[in-house]
Amino acid sequence: MNLFYPPDPASVKESSIGGNVAECAGGLRCKKYGLTKDYVLGIEGYDIEGELIQTGSFAKDQTYDLGSILVGSEGTLAIIVRIAIQLIDPSPFSRTFFATFSKQSDAAEVVSGIMASGVIPAVLEFMDGDAIACTLDYLKWTDVIPAAAALVIELDGTPSTVDKETESITPIIKSRNPIQFETTEDDSRRDYLWTLRRSISRAITAAAVLRVSEDVCVPPSKLPQLVTALPDLGTKHNLRVNSFGHAGDGNLHVNFLATEDTLEIHDRIHAAVRELFEITVKMDGTISGEHGIGMTKRAYLPIEVPAPTLELFRTIKAAFDPPNLVNPGKIF
């Protein structure tokens, strides 16, 4: 049976369905196909008292949609033991585009232009120059010219639909004078290009002694502003900063890197992270596009979430888990 899981996390080799549900993860194809929550048909789990909770396809009573509360709750409300996931038929045809640019802002403007055109790519991934350099070194590749930014784009659908969308987005890409630009329908070439994107996280980790990664998300129209702000953020806090992510929905993984692991460097990173979150919220974005809050972001949550909403979150937590024993210390 040839079916696929549409959120398609980039960390597919390490990722689990349980983790996807806990974080309501997105992935490479989330702009067109949606997030994890859009494919959860049912959840079965146990509350703190050991009582069975059944939602969606596992439930007889559909009065309250508890599944929508459990997805993305980061394991703080119940212990999930079974998940029903919807898989779909893959698209009959796809075309992959790879383009590199001399300026990060050019790549970001291409993203904004494509989204404004009405075309919704199955995949629209951004990589900045430093992330590309880390990955080329990690893979020992020499056939990709170093650049300030790169985009991997994939259109899917019927051949005629893909041809029409290709006619729409090609002038947008070319208007920013790409250094390299290619399209392919060949599976082996596509896999080769995807190796570059899927290896980024491991490559960045290998390039530094200390890495702190955040996953902010802004409206795609604000992506050029965000990527332009990141080099200044690195200079201000004396840190190496790079980024990559799901540009189609403005979700950017921003990495703060250092060659030493000291308290002083951690302080600089914390200051840079706070400033990144403040910049993101001012752009009508969110401090967590897909990785949740956990322990590392809970101190920053008030930057985005008003006090009354935080109190409502606490009320929901107390209703499910009065003694605060289920994944304690996360979010609050």
Side-chain angles (χ1 to χ4, degrees):
M1 186 176 293
N2 185 24
L3 299 173
F4 88 106
Y5 175 60
D8 191 20
S11 55
V12 62
K13 292 185 178 180
E14 300 87 12
S15 184
S16 69
I17 290 296
N20 275 233
V21 171
E23 308 299 339
C24 190
L28 302 175
R29 302 174 190 275
C30 57
K31 180 63 179 182
K32 184 171 184 176
Y33 289 101
L35 303 170
T36 297
K37 66 181 180 180
D38 300 308
Y39 296 91
V40 176
L41 300 177
I43 291 175
E44 193 170 82
Y46 292 90
D47 67 14
I48 193 64
E49 302 295 333
E51 296 294 327
L52 181 65
I53 299 173
Q54 293 178 312
T55 78
S57 60
F58 295 128
K60 295 179 181 178
D61 182 2
Q62 301 287 348
T63 306
Y64 288 100
D65 183 13
L66 295 180
S68 63
I69 296 176
L70 293 176
V71 175
S73 65
E74 304 185 37
T76 62
L77 303 181
I79 306 221
I80 296 173
V81 296
R82 194 156 64 127
I83 304 164
I85 293 287
Q86 178 184 7
L87 305 178
I88 67 173
D89 292 319
S91 179
F93 182 77
S94 62
R95 180 173 293 141
T96 301
F97 302 70
F98 179 71
T100 64
F101 302 87
S102 59
K103 294 189 293 185
Q104 290 188 43
S105 57
D106 283 338
E109 291 289 354
V110 168
V111 171
S112 294
I114 290 174
M115 300 316 300
S117 75
V119 174
I120 302 179
V123 175
L124 181 45
E125 293 290 299
F126 170 89
M127 297 163 276
D128 79 5
D130 192 73
I132 296 168
C134 288
T135 310
L136 295 180
D137 182 64
Y138 180 78
L139 294 173
K140 307 304 180 188
W141 284 8
T142 58
D143 61 333
V144 175
I145 301 170
L151 296 176
V152 179
I153 307 164
E154 193 166 289
L155 303 177
D156 69 1
T158 63
S160 60
T161 299
V162 171
D163 285 343
K164 184 177 180 180
E165 292 181 342
T166 297
E167 290 177 3
S168 294
I169 73 168
T170 298
I172 297 171
I173 298 169
K174 289 185 176 180
S175 71
R176 293 291 168 171
N177 300 312
I179 299 169
Q180 287 182 267
F181 179 45
E182 70 170 284
T183 67
T184 184
E185 297 157 24
D186 178 74
D187 286 341
S188 61
R189 182 60 180 170
R190 180 183 289 120
D191 289 344
Y192 185 79
L193 294 174
W194 277 114
T195 299
L196 178 67
R197 170 59 184 88
R198 292 190 183 277
S199 300
I200 283 182
S201 187
R202 291 189 296 275
I204 292 173
T205 298
V209 172
L210 177 63
R211 174 193 178 189
V212 173
S213 182
E214 301 296 346
D215 65 312
V216 297
C217 187
V218 297
S221 62
K222 302 288 181 68
L223 190 65
Q225 293 174 244
L226 181 59
V227 299
T228 300
L230 294 180
D232 292 338
L233 195 62
T235 299
K236 178 179 178 179
H237 296 279
N238 192 25
L239 294 166
R240 182 180 180 184
V241 179
N242 62 32
S243 64
F244 65 92
H246 318 312
D249 62 350
N251 186 350
L252 205 61
H253 302 286
V254 181
N255 305 281
F256 299 93
L257 310 176
T259 55
E260 297 179 279
D261 188 349
T262 67
L263 289 176
E264 189 270 336
I265 290 174
H266 276 274
D267 287 343
R268 280 195 272 130
I269 290 177
H270 288 317
V273 167
R274 174 170 289 277
E275 189 168 347
L276 170 67
F277 290 160
E278 290 170 348
I279 290 170
T280 298
V281 172
K282 286 179 182 178
M283 293 181 183
D284 299 320
T286 177
I287 68 173
S288 181
E290 58 178 336
H291 289 168
I293 300 301
M295 292 187 294
T296 61
K297 288 187 181 179
R298 64 184 182 184
Y300 305 111
L301 196 56
I303 295 174
E304 178 181 349
V305 181
T309 305
L310 285 173
E311 190 56 36
L312 178 59
F313 289 171
R314 294 187 182 95
T315 300
I316 294 171
K317 168 67 171 172
F320 274 85
D321 178 25
N324 191 28
L325 296 178
V326 183
N327 213 12
K330 308 301 188 296
I331 304 179
F332 307 114

